[in-house]
Amino acid sequence: MDLHPDFTPNPVQAAIAAWRSQPGALLPVLHAVQDSLGYIPRDAIVVMAEALGLTRAEVSGVISFYHHFRTTPPGQHIVEICRAEACQAVGARQLEAHAKSRLGLNYHQTRADGQFSLEPVYCLGNCACGPSIRIGDVVHGRVSEARFDDLLAGLAIQAVELPG
Amino acid sequence: MTVRVFVPNDTTALAMGGDALAQELAAVATQRGLDLELIRNGSRGLCWLEPLVEVETARGRVAYGPVSVADLPALLDAGLLEGATSHPLCQGLTEEIPYLARQHRLTFARIGVIDPLSIEQYCDHQGFRGLERALQMAPAAIVGEIKSSGLRGRGGAAFPTGIKWETVLNADPGQKYIVCNADEGDSGTFADRLVMECDPYMLIEGMVIAGLAVGATRGYIYLRSEYPLARRILDTAIERALAAGYLGDSVLGSGRAFQLEVRLGAGAYICGEETALLESLEGRRGMVRPKPPLPALKGLFGRPTVVNNVLSLAAVPFILDRGAQAYADCGVGRSRGTLPVQLAGNVQRGGLVELAFGITLRELIEDFGGGTLSGRPLRAVQVGGPLGAYLPATQWDTPLDYEAFAAVGAVLGHGGVVLFDDTVDMGEQARFAMEFCAVESCGKCTPCRIGSTRGVEVIDRIRAGDRPEANLSLLNDLSSTMVDGSLCAMGSMTPIPVRSVLQHFSEDLRPTDNRRR
């Protein structure tokens, strides 16, 4: 089939096309969709289920099982706070309380202004230099309350500069 | 003459500012007209010194750390590029740093030394020699070598790796798989991550050898999504290994195929359990499967499958290259070889410590760890991740050995050692163990799914002073039910940390206002 050079399939179709012939395709497809859209829209579930020969319930069941997958749009920055023991030993519980109050969010919530989502994470593998957080794909170590505020301030500056 | 300067590129070095430091160093070098070659190596695993900058000199590599961007001008003025030792951040020759010099690095011998993605440097440091030898051997001989080495699964269960391989070798002919469990979810552990980020070809080599040994032509690395950097490095390493002929349809022209790909998990601790991992790889919820059938006979897509932890597979190239005896010569009793321990939490000198089995926990936390980061007295040490016991001072003389730990009701697990100072509320830690199980349980069996939630509630009642005696006895009952009635280690081991708190730190389970704090 000749495709018009400008044709770009939507991310859901592209993910399906890339993976459907592979065994165990569902997780890679879900990752690909979420990587491009930021979340997995309800409409995508129908398309993926049909293409992979699964029921919608099966696809929804997989999405809801894994903490990483989300069905609502995330904020511009996803802030993940490590809640696991090695970070607890160096003040993760206090950092968690500080992050919640500073962002005005509980876990699994996104701010109304769309700037931030707050998520818990159980270990980022930076256990000798905690407390650790992850913002996007970047892990930060030894995050004190002051450093957390600095990191947020850095993001806010970017957010102001970017559009324009 | 061009000076070679190393700035590590693993998650911890980056989390401590490694990238900004490397950029600044490059910029300053241009400004000052310095003749240096900047190499992004892996981490030496001396995490408290990250970012650890090394400079190559005639005497060997000289280390400086932890280096911040702000330190750079003064360091350069003090003679960084000549390997000058006068600056307070200078740690001397890297190889002579006691923390490193006292280790017995077999698996981690190359780590931090080389550029992780350079096949040339990997080969210059004994890389792919084990594979070359394995290609000359019959499958049963490779399996025999692993059996004689005494290697036991480093993921936590400590099952003899050679026996697992033998089962897969002797299983039905046809499609077989090698699955690497890289779902390193235990808090306090990062050894798998270091292998993948700092020496990925070692893991690839170990998996190809496993494939040759059991007749598997396809491998998957099931990697947790919390490790995005490991993902990028592994993907690139696989691409380059394929181009260089170490993977593909005919490994090094032998006519034997091995294809390898990385598959990402999605934030589910239970997928570190091998059958849940297989379900996840097949595209389903990570629900634990009953055993039997063993994955070795009926694993991925119903086919015979070796499921091994990263560290188990990473130990394989050494064993094939240097022989089973060289590996078995280390260790004590039935715990042969070395154990990569990870020192974490409230610790002065956190990092990766690879040692022969047998050193005591106390030597590890005092001699290597240097005590707590806060400087306050050490109170509890959790070994083996969230399903491992909290050990009180009276147990710190236990040697690191699977059997010795089992004898005191503890586990070595994946070798994570997490220190807590005396500000820890052990009641809170017991509660968290149950809470974590409630969050991460796959839900397949009732004792784990419901028991964990009830466990949180009972601990809350005890801590609130609500009929503490009756509720403590209920908590013990509940723990027994979880131990006896759960399908996998998640439910059956969650009571281990809880019971260790009941046994050794019961004062912290009294109502909040009656406690010493």
Side-chain angles (χ1 to χ4, degrees):
Chain A
M1 181 172 69
D2 287 333
L3 293 175
H4 189 271
D6 290 342
F7 174 79
T8 44
N10 79 45
V12 181
Q13 289 164 334
I16 291 168
W19 285 98
R20 69 185 307 166
S21 63
Q22 301 284 319
L26 183 54
L27 261 76
V29 168
L30 291 173
H31 273 296
V33 171
Q34 181 157 309
D35 285 351
S36 31
L37 301 177
Y39 72 110
I40 297 160
R42 187 177 296 271
D43 293 344
I45 296 175
V46 185
V47 181
M48 290 185 287
E50 240 168 60
L52 299 175
L54 300 166
T55 66
R56 273 177 281 173
E58 282 169 322
V59 176
S60 299
V62 168
I63 294 168
S64 66
F65 183 86
Y66 295 96
H67 302 309
H68 176 78
F69 295 131
R70 53 188 307 142
T71 51
T72 53
Q76 192 184 347
H77 304 289
I78 301 179
V79 179
E80 294 174 271
I81 313 277
C82 178
R83 292 196 72 212
E85 290 90 339
C87 284
Q88 291 168 6
V90 281
R93 287 197 177 90
Q94 292 87 315
L95 178 65
E96 168 181 81
H98 176 76
K100 285 179 177 177
S101 87
R102 186 71 176 59
L103 292 171
L105 290 174
N106 254 317
Y107 283 136
H108 311 300
Q109 291 183 342
T110 297
R111 249 178 29 188
D113 63 9
Q115 286 240 7
F116 295 102
S117 296
L118 185 64
E119 299 290 339
V121 64
Y122 296 90
C123 198
L124 293 164
N126 186 43
C127 316
C129 295
S132 307
I133 69 170
R134 175 177 167 182
I135 303 175
D137 263 359
V138 182
V139 176
H140 303 273
R142 292 274 188 255
V143 182
S144 61
E145 293 179 14
R147 182 152 156 69
F148 182 84
D149 292 348
D150 286 348
L151 288 168
L152 281 199
L155 294 175
I157 291 163
Q158 284 177 8
V160 174
E161 282 177 357
L162 277 177
Chain B
M1 198 187 80
T2 307
V3 181
R4 283 155 48 101
V5 181
F6 299 79
V7 179
N9 197 21
D10 86 307
T11 292
T12 289
L14 299 189
M16 301 308 287
D19 262 348
L21 182 68
Q23 281 160 21
E24 182 68 11
L25 183 60
V28 174
T30 312
Q31 269 169 30
R32 297 195 181 190
L34 305 171
D35 187 13
L36 64 83
E37 184 193 354
L38 180 62
I39 295 164
R40 302 305 298 272
N41 58 331
S43 168
R44 297 274 190 164
L46 313 178
C47 299
W48 83 99
L49 292 176
E50 293 294 0
L52 180 83
V53 175
E54 289 179 90
V55 176
E56 197 169 70
T57 73
R59 293 171 293 135
R61 275 153 72 164
V62 179
Y64 303 83
V67 180
S68 69
V69 167
D71 295 321
L72 264 187
L75 267 170
L76 285 165
D77 293 344
L80 175 83
L81 297 187
E82 291 84 54
T85 53
S86 55
H87 195 279
L89 289 180
C90 181
Q91 305 292 329
L93 290 173
T94 313
E95 302 289 343
E96 289 175 5
I97 297 173
Y99 195 91
L100 199 55
R102 287 192 55 195
Q103 297 193 31
H104 198 128
R105 288 199 168 180
L106 305 183
T107 299
F108 286 83
R110 262 180 308 262
I111 219 137
V113 177
I114 62 170
D115 168 353
L117 285 168
S118 163
I119 290 184
E120 194 187 340
Q121 291 179 30
Y122 181 70
C123 291
D124 284 347
H125 289 80
Q126 287 85 44
F128 289 124
R129 284 199 203 165
L131 173 62
E132 279 159 18
R133 180 160 170 252
L135 281 166
Q136 313 301 322
M137 293 164 72
I142 304 175
V143 171
E145 198 77 34
I146 298 299
K147 277 171 78 178
S148 322
S149 75
L151 176 65
R152 292 164 73 181
R154 295 284 184 262
F159 186 82
T161 305
I163 301 210
K164 193 182 271 185
W165 287 22
E166 188 168 55
T167 311
V168 177
L169 171 63
N170 295 329
D172 293 346
Q175 183 66 57
K176 297 176 186 180
Y177 296 101
I178 307 298
V179 171
C180 171
N181 184 345
D183 195 53
E184 183 174 54
D186 284 359
S187 171
T189 68
F190 44 85
D192 294 353
R193 176 180 68 67
L194 284 174
V195 166
M196 295 184 285
E197 291 177 353
C198 307
D199 202 3
Y201 296 118
M202 174 169 58
L203 177 60
I204 292 171
E205 183 182 357
M207 291 187 74
V208 179
I209 294 170
L212 295 172
V214 305
T217 54
R218 180 165 279 277
Y220 292 95
I221 299 172
Y222 184 87
L223 176 69
R224 61 200 303 260
S225 57
E226 291 86 343
Y227 285 178
L229 180 62
R231 203 270 166 93
R232 289 199 291 276
I233 292 176
L234 281 173
D235 278 345
T236 308
I238 288 173
E239 212 173 277
R240 293 186 186 180
L242 186 63
Y246 295 102
L247 291 170
D249 293 332
S250 175
V251 173
L252 290 178
S254 64
R256 299 162 77 179
F258 195 77
Q259 316 286 346
L260 181 58
E261 70 176 278
V262 177
R263 286 285 178 96
L264 273 195
Y269 178 77
I270 193 61
C271 290
E273 196 284 333
E274 61 176 358
T275 62
L277 185 159
L278 294 174
E279 285 289 304
S280 184
L281 262 183
E282 291 182 15
R284 285 190 292 275
R285 294 161 68 91
M287 304 284 279
V288 172
R289 296 176 185 170
K291 287 192 275 195
L294 293 172
L297 298 173
K298 236 177 157 238
L300 187 62
F301 306 115
R303 303 298 309 163
T305 304
V306 168
V307 185
N308 277 154
N309 174 253
V310 172
L311 295 180
S312 314
L313 290 161
V316 166
F318 176 91
I319 294 169
L320 265 292
D321 176 29
R322 309 280 288 278
Q325 197 55 45
Y327 194 75
D329 281 345
C330 308
V332 290
R334 290 176 51 224
S335 301
R336 309 312 309 179
T338 56
L339 178 70
V341 177
Q342 301 115 92
L343 275 173
N346 198 327
V347 60
Q348 189 73 242
R349 296 192 292 263
L352 187 283
V353 182
E354 182 178 1
L355 289 168
F357 286 94
I359 186 184
T360 67
L361 185 58
R362 189 185 299 279
E363 289 172 86
L364 186 70
I365 55 193
E366 289 176 0
D367 299 357
F368 284 90
T372 61
L373 177 69
S374 61
R376 299 183 62 92
L378 180 65
R379 180 144 185 255
V381 181
Q382 187 179 32
V383 182
L387 309 178
Y390 288 94
L391 284 77
T394 52
Q395 294 183 334
W396 296 343
D397 291 312
T398 311
L400 296 188
D401 159 21
Y402 295 119
E403 279 68 34
F405 262 65
V408 297
V411 294
L412 272 185
H414 187 50
V417 173
V418 178
L419 277 62
F420 291 80
D421 73 10
D422 66 346
T423 61
V424 66
D425 177 345
M426 295 303 294
E428 189 86 56
Q429 298 310 118
R431 184 188 193 276
F432 179 78
M434 286 291 189
E435 184 191 353
F436 182 67
C437 183
V439 173
E440 297 295 338
S441 172
C442 81
K444 179 122 175 170
C445 64
T446 317
C448 176
R449 183 184 67 243
I450 309 285
S452 50
T453 298
R454 295 289 95 89
V456 172
E457 295 164 0
V458 176
I459 292 172
D460 281 346
R461 288 204 293 273
I462 295 167
R463 283 159 56 82
D466 176 2
R467 292 169 300 139
E469 291 312 313
N471 277 312
L472 276 170
S473 134
L474 187 60
L475 181 59
N476 241 320
D477 260 14
L478 176 67
S479 294
S480 300
T481 305
M482 290 175 73
V483 170
D484 297 336
S486 299
L487 201 53
C488 81
M490 178 97 221
S492 68
M493 288 177 66
T494 290
I496 292 179
V498 176
R499 280 180 155 160
S500 69
V501 171
L502 287 177
Q503 202 178 341
H504 306 296
F505 304 96
S506 59
E507 64 273 25
D508 283 22
L509 279 166
R510 290 186 206 124
T512 317
D513 17 326
N514 292 342
R515 264 180 282 146
R516 55 199 176 94
R517 274 177 295 281

PDB file of all heavy atoms in Angstrom, chain A residues 128-147:
ATOM      1  N   ALA A 128      21.461   4.527  48.074  1.00  0.00           N
ATOM      2  CA  ALA A 128      22.567   4.956  48.927  1.00  0.00           C
ATOM      3  C   ALA A 128      22.613   6.477  49.035  1.00  0.00           C
ATOM      4  O   ALA A 128      23.379   7.018  49.820  1.00  0.00           O
ATOM      5  CB  ALA A 128      23.895   4.431  48.382  1.00  0.00           C
ATOM      6  N   CYS A 129      21.791   7.154  48.228  1.00  0.00           N
ATOM      7  CA  CYS A 129      21.799   8.623  48.208  1.00  0.00           C
ATOM      8  C   CYS A 129      20.388   9.191  48.271  1.00  0.00           C
ATOM      9  O   CYS A 129      20.042  10.123  47.543  1.00  0.00           O
ATOM     10  CB  CYS A 129      22.529   9.139  46.965  1.00  0.00           C
ATOM     11  SG  CYS A 129      24.279   8.727  46.924  1.00  0.00           S
ATOM     12  N   GLY A 130      19.553   8.620  49.121  1.00  0.00           N
ATOM     13  CA  GLY A 130      18.188   9.102  49.263  1.00  0.00           C
ATOM     14  C   GLY A 130      18.137  10.308  50.166  1.00  0.00           C
ATOM     15  O   GLY A 130      19.160  10.716  50.705  1.00  0.00           O
ATOM     16  N   PRO A 131      16.944  10.910  50.359  1.00  0.00           N
ATOM     17  CA  PRO A 131      15.699  10.534  49.697  1.00  0.00           C
ATOM     18  C   PRO A 131      15.741  10.865  48.203  1.00  0.00           C
ATOM     19  O   PRO A 131      16.346  11.851  47.807  1.00  0.00           O
ATOM     20  CB  PRO A 131      14.644  11.413  50.392  1.00  0.00           C
ATOM     21  CG  PRO A 131      15.305  12.042  51.558  1.00  0.00           C
ATOM     22  CD  PRO A 131      16.770  12.000  51.305  1.00  0.00           C
ATOM     23  N   SER A 132      15.069  10.030  47.421  1.00  0.00           N
ATOM     24  CA  SER A 132      15.106  10.162  45.974  1.00  0.00           C
ATOM     25  C   SER A 132      13.740  10.523  45.417  1.00  0.00           C
ATOM     26  O   SER A 132      12.722  10.074  45.928  1.00  0.00           O
ATOM     27  CB  SER A 132      15.541   8.837  45.345  1.00  0.00           C
ATOM     28  OG  SER A 132      16.749   8.386  45.907  1.00  0.00           O
ATOM     29  N   ILE A 133      13.770  11.318  44.381  1.00  0.00           N
ATOM     30  CA  ILE A 133      12.542  11.588  43.643  1.00  0.00           C
ATOM     31  C   ILE A 133      12.864  11.492  42.149  1.00  0.00           C
ATOM     32  O   ILE A 133      14.029  11.520  41.747  1.00  0.00           O
ATOM     33  CB  ILE A 133      11.932  12.980  43.961  1.00  0.00           C
ATOM     34  CG1 ILE A 133      12.803  14.105  43.405  1.00  0.00           C
ATOM     35  CG2 ILE A 133      11.735  13.162  45.459  1.00  0.00           C
ATOM     36  CD1 ILE A 133      12.124  15.468  43.468  1.00  0.00           C
ATOM     37  N   ARG A 134      11.814  11.359  41.361  1.00  0.00           N
ATOM     38  CA  ARG A 134      11.988  11.344  39.911  1.00  0.00           C
ATOM     39  C   ARG A 134      11.037  12.378  39.333  1.00  0.00           C
ATOM     40  O   ARG A 134       9.864  12.422  39.702  1.00  0.00           O
ATOM     41  CB  ARG A 134      11.665   9.942  39.371  1.00  0.00           C
ATOM     42  CG  ARG A 134      11.691   9.813  37.847  1.00  0.00           C
ATOM     43  CD  ARG A 134      11.438   8.347  37.443  1.00  0.00           C
ATOM     44  NE  ARG A 134      11.157   8.214  36.020  1.00  0.00           N
ATOM     45  CZ  ARG A 134      10.858   7.061  35.412  1.00  0.00           C
ATOM     46  NH1 ARG A 134      10.797   5.933  36.110  1.00  0.00           N
ATOM     47  NH2 ARG A 134      10.618   7.030  34.116  1.00  0.00           N
ATOM     48  N   ILE A 135      11.558  13.217  38.466  1.00  0.00           N
ATOM     49  CA  ILE A 135      10.711  14.166  37.744  1.00  0.00           C
ATOM     50  C   ILE A 135      10.926  13.876  36.269  1.00  0.00           C
ATOM     51  O   ILE A 135      12.044  14.000  35.766  1.00  0.00           O
ATOM     52  CB  ILE A 135      11.080  15.631  38.067  1.00  0.00           C
ATOM     53  CG1 ILE A 135      10.980  15.884  39.577  1.00  0.00           C
ATOM     54  CG2 ILE A 135      10.167  16.577  37.306  1.00  0.00           C
ATOM     55  CD1 ILE A 135      11.435  17.272  40.016  1.00  0.00           C
ATOM     56  N   GLY A 136       9.870  13.451  35.592  1.00  0.00           N
ATOM     57  CA  GLY A 136      10.046  12.968  34.219  1.00  0.00           C
ATOM     58  C   GLY A 136      10.951  11.750  34.256  1.00  0.00           C
ATOM     59  O   GLY A 136      10.720  10.839  35.047  1.00  0.00           O
ATOM     60  N   ASP A 137      12.019  11.751  33.458  1.00  0.00           N
ATOM     61  CA  ASP A 137      12.936  10.618  33.444  1.00  0.00           C
ATOM     62  C   ASP A 137      14.195  10.881  34.259  1.00  0.00           C
ATOM     63  O   ASP A 137      15.148  10.114  34.197  1.00  0.00           O
ATOM     64  CB  ASP A 137      13.341  10.285  31.990  1.00  0.00           C
ATOM     65  CG  ASP A 137      12.477   9.148  31.439  1.00  0.00           C
ATOM     66  OD1 ASP A 137      11.611   8.639  32.192  1.00  0.00           O
ATOM     67  OD2 ASP A 137      12.666   8.768  30.268  1.00  0.00           O
ATOM     68  N   VAL A 138      14.205  11.953  35.027  1.00  0.00           N
ATOM     69  CA  VAL A 138      15.417  12.313  35.766  1.00  0.00           C
ATOM     70  C   VAL A 138      15.248  12.015  37.251  1.00  0.00           C
ATOM     71  O   VAL A 138      14.280  12.440  37.882  1.00  0.00           O
ATOM     72  CB  VAL A 138      15.760  13.808  35.564  1.00  0.00           C
ATOM     73  CG1 VAL A 138      17.053  14.154  36.293  1.00  0.00           C
ATOM     74  CG2 VAL A 138      15.876  14.122  34.084  1.00  0.00           C
ATOM     75  N   VAL A 139      16.210  11.255  37.796  1.00  0.00           N
ATOM     76  CA  VAL A 139      16.207  10.929  39.220  1.00  0.00           C
ATOM     77  C   VAL A 139      17.083  11.943  39.957  1.00  0.00           C
ATOM     78  O   VAL A 139      18.141  12.332  39.458  1.00  0.00           O
ATOM     79  CB  VAL A 139      16.741   9.497  39.450  1.00  0.00           C
ATOM     80  CG1 VAL A 139      16.838   9.176  40.936  1.00  0.00           C
ATOM     81  CG2 VAL A 139      15.849   8.479  38.739  1.00  0.00           C
ATOM     82  N   HIS A 140      16.614  12.388  41.100  1.00  0.00           N
ATOM     83  CA  HIS A 140      17.393  13.304  41.939  1.00  0.00           C
ATOM     84  C   HIS A 140      17.627  12.657  43.295  1.00  0.00           C
ATOM     85  O   HIS A 140      16.716  12.073  43.863  1.00  0.00           O
ATOM     86  CB  HIS A 140      16.652  14.634  42.133  1.00  0.00           C
ATOM     87  CG  HIS A 140      16.315  15.326  40.841  1.00  0.00           C
ATOM     88  ND1 HIS A 140      17.177  16.180  40.213  1.00  0.00           N
ATOM     89  CD2 HIS A 140      15.217  15.244  40.049  1.00  0.00           C
ATOM     90  CE1 HIS A 140      16.624  16.625  39.090  1.00  0.00           C
ATOM     91  NE2 HIS A 140      15.436  16.068  38.963  1.00  0.00           N
ATOM     92  N   GLY A 141      18.864  12.788  43.818  1.00  0.00           N
ATOM     93  CA  GLY A 141      19.202  12.192  45.099  1.00  0.00           C
ATOM     94  C   GLY A 141      19.402  13.231  46.186  1.00  0.00           C
ATOM     95  O   GLY A 141      19.525  14.421  45.896  1.00  0.00           O
ATOM     96  N   ARG A 142      19.443  12.745  47.461  1.00  0.00           N
ATOM     97  CA  ARG A 142      19.631  13.617  48.623  1.00  0.00           C
ATOM     98  C   ARG A 142      18.709  14.841  48.555  1.00  0.00           C
ATOM     99  O   ARG A 142      19.157  15.995  48.690  1.00  0.00           O
ATOM    100  CB  ARG A 142      21.085  14.096  48.707  1.00  0.00           C
ATOM    101  CG  ARG A 142      22.070  12.977  49.020  1.00  0.00           C
ATOM    102  CD  ARG A 142      22.219  12.726  50.501  1.00  0.00           C
ATOM    103  NE  ARG A 142      23.284  11.783  50.792  1.00  0.00           N
ATOM    104  CZ  ARG A 142      23.092  10.506  51.166  1.00  0.00           C
ATOM    105  NH1 ARG A 142      21.858  10.016  51.276  1.00  0.00           N
ATOM    106  NH2 ARG A 142      24.099   9.724  51.450  1.00  0.00           N
ATOM    107  N   VAL A 143      17.429  14.579  48.348  1.00  0.00           N
ATOM    108  CA  VAL A 143      16.467  15.668  48.166  1.00  0.00           C
ATOM    109  C   VAL A 143      15.944  16.123  49.524  1.00  0.00           C
ATOM    110  O   VAL A 143      15.087  15.472  50.116  1.00  0.00           O
ATOM    111  CB  VAL A 143      15.310  15.256  47.228  1.00  0.00           C
ATOM    112  CG1 VAL A 143      14.361  16.421  47.028  1.00  0.00           C
ATOM    113  CG2 VAL A 143      15.855  14.783  45.887  1.00  0.00           C
ATOM    114  N   SER A 144      16.483  17.219  50.004  1.00  0.00           N
ATOM    115  CA  SER A 144      15.963  17.848  51.228  1.00  0.00           C
ATOM    116  C   SER A 144      14.723  18.645  50.839  1.00  0.00           C
ATOM    117  O   SER A 144      14.417  18.803  49.656  1.00  0.00           O
ATOM    118  CB  SER A 144      17.017  18.777  51.809  1.00  0.00           C
ATOM    119  OG  SER A 144      17.305  19.785  50.847  1.00  0.00           O
ATOM    120  N   GLU A 145      14.034  19.183  51.843  1.00  0.00           N
ATOM    121  CA  GLU A 145      12.859  20.001  51.522  1.00  0.00           C
ATOM    122  C   GLU A 145      13.273  21.219  50.694  1.00  0.00           C
ATOM    123  O   GLU A 145      12.608  21.596  49.733  1.00  0.00           O
ATOM    124  CB  GLU A 145      12.143  20.415  52.813  1.00  0.00           C
ATOM    125  CG  GLU A 145      11.541  19.210  53.516  1.00  0.00           C
ATOM    126  CD  GLU A 145      10.836  19.546  54.824  1.00  0.00           C
ATOM    127  OE1 GLU A 145      10.579  20.735  55.082  1.00  0.00           O
ATOM    128  OE2 GLU A 145      10.544  18.589  55.571  1.00  0.00           O
ATOM    129  N   ALA A 146      14.412  21.813  51.067  1.00  0.00           N
ATOM    130  CA  ALA A 146      14.868  23.009  50.341  1.00  0.00           C
ATOM    131  C   ALA A 146      15.223  22.652  48.897  1.00  0.00           C
ATOM    132  O   ALA A 146      14.899  23.397  47.966  1.00  0.00           O
ATOM    133  CB  ALA A 146      16.087  23.606  51.049  1.00  0.00           C
ATOM    134  N   ARG A 147      15.875  21.488  48.730  1.00  0.00           N
ATOM    135  CA  ARG A 147      16.260  21.096  47.377  1.00  0.00           C
ATOM    136  C   ARG A 147      15.023  20.771  46.539  1.00  0.00           C
ATOM    137  O   ARG A 147      14.980  21.060  45.344  1.00  0.00           O
ATOM    138  CB  ARG A 147      17.190  19.883  47.446  1.00  0.00           C
ATOM    139  CG  ARG A 147      17.670  19.427  46.096  1.00  0.00           C
ATOM    140  CD  ARG A 147      19.031  18.740  46.183  1.00  0.00           C
ATOM    141  NE  ARG A 147      19.222  17.833  45.053  1.00  0.00           N
ATOM    142  CZ  ARG A 147      19.377  18.227  43.800  1.00  0.00           C
ATOM    143  NH1 ARG A 147      19.360  19.508  43.497  1.00  0.00           N
ATOM    144  NH2 ARG A 147      19.533  17.344  42.831  1.00  0.00           N
TER     145      ARG A 147
END
